[in-house]
Amino acid sequence: MPMPRDSLAEVPDEALLVLYANGDPEAARLLTTRLLPRVLGYAGRLLADRTEAEDVAQEAMLRLWRQASEWRQGEAKVSTWVYRVVSNLCTDRLRARQRRRSDALDDVPEPADGAASAVAGMIEADRMAALDAALASLPDRQREAVVLRHIEGMSNPEIAEILQIGVEAVESLTARGKRALAAILSGQRAALGYEEAE
């Protein structure tokens, strides 16, 4: 029997998944509302392609629904499990992308729209583009660790579980990734509006 929405708001993800497996569609809607924006953002950061990120997020959620009837509470957090699936799906897509990489005209980005916008909006867009480009230049595992830690706000033990590595390895990947990002972005400080006026 489905539970009223208000009573589900405080229910943990794992319990919502079990409720869904037992036939409660409201539990599925609430769990999707909680998880989908986060996994979509994570996939978007790893792939730098909104359409591919949407496909990955959708596939990860479908796999979660298929897993629902066999879910064993207490073995893993639902969010950790979903992030691991997204990491694996993104890694597969990035490998496939490298195999078929070419200099085709379709791969060239469209020219930027010349319409004027607010200066602050332009600066923020430039900063995000620079961050995305810098993230894209990191090795896959470093990028995953940095995005999970500093953008998704996950703890090192959670990241270790998602990436299936030790906590010390997460710390190392994150530190190396941050150093690499700092080196990549250091020459762009003035262009991105971070230098103080003299």
Side-chain angles (χ1 to χ4, degrees):
M1 171 179 214
M3 297 175 69
R5 178 175 220 153
D6 290 344
S7 65
L8 293 177
E10 300 301 320
V11 174
D13 295 346
E14 293 72 24
L16 287 175
L17 188 60
V18 171
L19 286 170
Y20 163 74
N22 292 327
D24 188 343
E26 189 59 34
R29 278 191 285 280
L30 184 56
L31 191 55
T32 300
T33 300
R34 285 182 190 175
L35 294 176
L36 190 58
R38 292 167 44 198
V39 298
L40 179 58
Y42 178 53
R45 291 276 183 204
L46 296 182
L47 296 170
D49 182 309
R50 176 74 180 190
T51 302
E52 276 194 286
E54 289 171 354
D55 290 346
V56 163
Q58 181 178 6
E59 177 63 25
M61 293 305 293
L62 286 172
R63 289 184 184 189
L64 179 64
W65 303 136
R66 285 187 215 120
Q67 179 71 24
S69 64
E70 298 170 20
W71 188 263
R72 292 183 296 231
Q73 284 186 311
E75 288 190 15
K77 290 175 58 176
V78 169
S79 59
T80 302
W81 186 91
V82 171
Y83 273 101
R84 184 180 315 136
V85 170
V86 170
S87 288
N88 292 339
L89 290 170
C90 288
T91 297
D92 291 345
R93 285 182 179 253
L94 290 169
R95 286 179 183 154
R97 192 186 290 173
Q98 283 182 327
R99 283 193 297 268
R100 66 177 187 272
R101 189 171 307 273
S102 70
D103 294 329
L105 184 58
D106 292 340
D107 293 340
V108 176
E110 291 291 321
D113 183 6
S117 63
V119 172
M122 291 171 49
I123 290 172
E124 185 61 26
D126 287 346
R127 289 176 178 172
M128 292 307 298
L131 176 60
D132 287 342
L135 283 168
S137 71
L138 295 178
D140 293 345
R141 297 299 260 180
Q142 284 182 23
R143 180 175 55 250
E144 290 172 8
V146 168
V147 169
L148 286 170
R149 181 73 182 111
H150 296 288
I151 295 174
E152 298 299 322
M154 298 189 128
S155 69
N156 287 346
E158 289 174 316
I159 298 167
E161 189 172 341
I162 290 166
L163 299 181
Q164 297 180 317
I165 58 177
V167 173
E168 289 179 2
V170 170
E171 292 168 356
S172 175
L173 285 170
T174 305
R176 285 183 297 174
K178 284 173 50 179
R179 281 193 303 271
L181 285 175
I184 293 165
L185 295 172
S186 67
Q188 301 178 42
R189 289 185 61 79
L192 296 174
Y194 287 114
E195 293 294 323
E196 294 181 13
E198 306 225 10

